mmCIF file of all heavy atoms in Angstrom:
data_model
loop_
_atom_site.group_PDB
_atom_site.id
_atom_site.type_symbol
_atom_site.label_atom_id
_atom_site.label_comp_id
_atom_site.label_asym_id
_atom_site.label_seq_id
_atom_site.Cartn_x
_atom_site.Cartn_y
_atom_site.Cartn_z
ATOM 1 N N LEU A 157 -12.777 25.374 -5.017
ATOM 2 C CA LEU A 157 -13.268 26.545 -4.387
ATOM 3 C C LEU A 157 -14.098 27.429 -5.307
ATOM 4 O O LEU A 157 -15.160 27.906 -5.043
ATOM 5 C CB LEU A 157 -12.153 27.359 -3.767
ATOM 6 C CG LEU A 157 -11.471 26.756 -2.525
ATOM 7 C CD1 LEU A 157 -10.133 27.518 -2.203
ATOM 8 C CD2 LEU A 157 -12.325 26.724 -1.336
ATOM 9 N N GLN A 158 -13.518 27.601 -6.489
ATOM 10 C CA GLN A 158 -14.188 28.435 -7.542
ATOM 11 C C GLN A 158 -15.528 27.873 -7.959
ATOM 12 O O GLN A 158 -16.506 28.612 -8.123
ATOM 13 C CB GLN A 158 -13.271 28.557 -8.741
ATOM 14 C CG GLN A 158 -13.769 29.463 -9.781
ATOM 15 C CD GLN A 158 -13.798 30.995 -9.383
ATOM 16 O OE1 GLN A 158 -12.991 31.353 -8.503
ATOM 17 N NE2 GLN A 158 -14.603 31.774 -9.910
ATOM 18 N N ASN A 159 -15.613 26.526 -8.106
ATOM 19 C CA ASN A 159 -16.889 25.948 -8.617
ATOM 20 C C ASN A 159 -17.867 25.537 -7.487
ATOM 21 O O ASN A 159 -18.933 24.981 -7.767
ATOM 22 C CB ASN A 159 -16.642 24.782 -9.521
ATOM 23 C CG ASN A 159 -16.124 23.520 -8.777
ATOM 24 O OD1 ASN A 159 -16.293 23.378 -7.585
ATOM 25 N ND2 ASN A 159 -15.367 22.669 -9.508
ATOM 26 N N GLY A 160 -17.542 25.959 -6.262
ATOM 27 C CA GLY A 160 -18.542 25.732 -5.173
ATOM 28 C C GLY A 160 -18.532 24.293 -4.717
ATOM 29 O O GLY A 160 -19.498 23.915 -3.958
ATOM 30 N N GLU A 161 -17.532 23.476 -5.049
ATOM 31 C CA GLU A 161 -17.547 22.083 -4.541
ATOM 32 C C GLU A 161 -17.199 22.025 -3.082
ATOM 33 O O GLU A 161 -17.627 21.071 -2.415
ATOM 34 C CB GLU A 161 -16.445 21.246 -5.396
ATOM 35 C CG GLU A 161 -16.480 19.831 -5.050
ATOM 36 C CD GLU A 161 -15.416 19.040 -5.911
ATOM 37 O OE1 GLU A 161 -14.761 19.646 -6.834
ATOM 38 O OE2 GLU A 161 -15.200 17.935 -5.583
ATOM 39 N N ILE A 162 -16.486 22.981 -2.575
ATOM 40 C CA ILE A 162 -16.128 23.026 -1.149
ATOM 41 C C ILE A 162 -17.012 24.144 -0.455
ATOM 42 O O ILE A 162 -16.922 25.267 -0.780
ATOM 43 C CB ILE A 162 -14.661 23.345 -0.960
ATOM 44 C CG1 ILE A 162 -13.864 22.192 -1.542
ATOM 45 C CG2 ILE A 162 -14.357 23.450 0.548
ATOM 46 C CD1 ILE A 162 -12.307 22.450 -1.583
ATOM 47 N N VAL A 163 -17.908 23.640 0.470
ATOM 48 C CA VAL A 163 -18.918 24.528 1.037
ATOM 49 C C VAL A 163 -18.816 24.508 2.568
ATOM 50 O O VAL A 163 -19.545 25.283 3.223
ATOM 51 C CB VAL A 163 -20.366 24.182 0.602
ATOM 52 C CG1 VAL A 163 -20.482 24.332 -0.907
ATOM 53 C CG2 VAL A 163 -20.676 22.749 0.994
ATOM 54 N N ASP A 164 -17.978 23.712 3.191
ATOM 55 C CA ASP A 164 -17.816 23.636 4.544
ATOM 56 C C ASP A 164 -16.993 24.777 5.115
ATOM 57 O O ASP A 164 -15.863 24.954 4.673
ATOM 58 C CB ASP A 164 -17.169 22.241 4.861
ATOM 59 C CG ASP A 164 -16.818 22.097 6.317
ATOM 60 O OD1 ASP A 164 -17.757 22.068 7.189
ATOM 61 O OD2 ASP A 164 -15.664 22.020 6.604
ATOM 62 N N ALA A 165 -17.506 25.423 6.143
ATOM 63 C CA ALA A 165 -16.739 26.585 6.758
ATOM 64 C C ALA A 165 -15.384 26.267 7.265
ATOM 65 O O ALA A 165 -14.429 27.018 6.905
ATOM 66 C CB ALA A 165 -17.637 27.227 7.819
ATOM 67 N N LYS A 166 -15.162 25.239 7.968
ATOM 68 C CA LYS A 166 -13.870 25.000 8.523
ATOM 69 C C LYS A 166 -12.868 24.695 7.463
ATOM 70 O O LYS A 166 -11.685 25.054 7.551
ATOM 71 C CB LYS A 166 -13.929 23.871 9.587
ATOM 72 C CG LYS A 166 -14.222 22.488 9.047
ATOM 73 C CD LYS A 166 -14.451 21.448 10.162
ATOM 74 C CE LYS A 166 -14.878 20.144 9.603
ATOM 75 N NZ LYS A 166 -16.216 20.180 8.955
ATOM 76 N N THR A 167 -13.342 24.002 6.431
ATOM 77 C CA THR A 167 -12.526 23.656 5.283
ATOM 78 C C THR A 167 -12.141 24.948 4.516
ATOM 79 O O THR A 167 -10.991 25.151 4.124
ATOM 80 C CB THR A 167 -13.157 22.616 4.409
ATOM 81 O OG1 THR A 167 -13.523 21.494 5.199
ATOM 82 C CG2 THR A 167 -12.276 22.267 3.274
ATOM 83 N N LEU A 168 -13.130 25.843 4.301
ATOM 84 C CA LEU A 168 -12.922 27.039 3.582
ATOM 85 C C LEU A 168 -11.860 27.883 4.344
ATOM 86 O O LEU A 168 -10.905 28.421 3.730
ATOM 87 C CB LEU A 168 -14.142 27.916 3.472
ATOM 88 C CG LEU A 168 -15.208 27.332 2.478
ATOM 89 C CD1 LEU A 168 -16.512 28.017 2.651
ATOM 90 C CD2 LEU A 168 -14.709 27.474 1.060
ATOM 91 N N ILE A 169 -11.931 27.943 5.678
ATOM 92 C CA ILE A 169 -10.991 28.758 6.456
ATOM 93 C C ILE A 169 -9.591 28.136 6.375
ATOM 94 O O ILE A 169 -8.681 28.818 6.130
ATOM 95 C CB ILE A 169 -11.455 28.768 7.977
ATOM 96 C CG1 ILE A 169 -12.767 29.658 8.046
ATOM 97 C CG2 ILE A 169 -10.377 29.344 8.783
ATOM 98 C CD1 ILE A 169 -13.470 29.562 9.336
ATOM 99 N N GLY A 170 -9.511 26.769 6.559
ATOM 100 C CA GLY A 170 -8.191 26.127 6.398
ATOM 101 C C GLY A 170 -7.549 26.297 5.054
ATOM 102 O O GLY A 170 -6.361 26.615 4.980
#
Side-chain angles (χ1 to χ4, degrees):
L157 290 168
Q158 185 70 27
N159 70 24
E161 186 179 352
I162 298 173
V163 297
D164 171 65
K166 67 186 174 299
T167 304
L168 290 168
I169 292 168

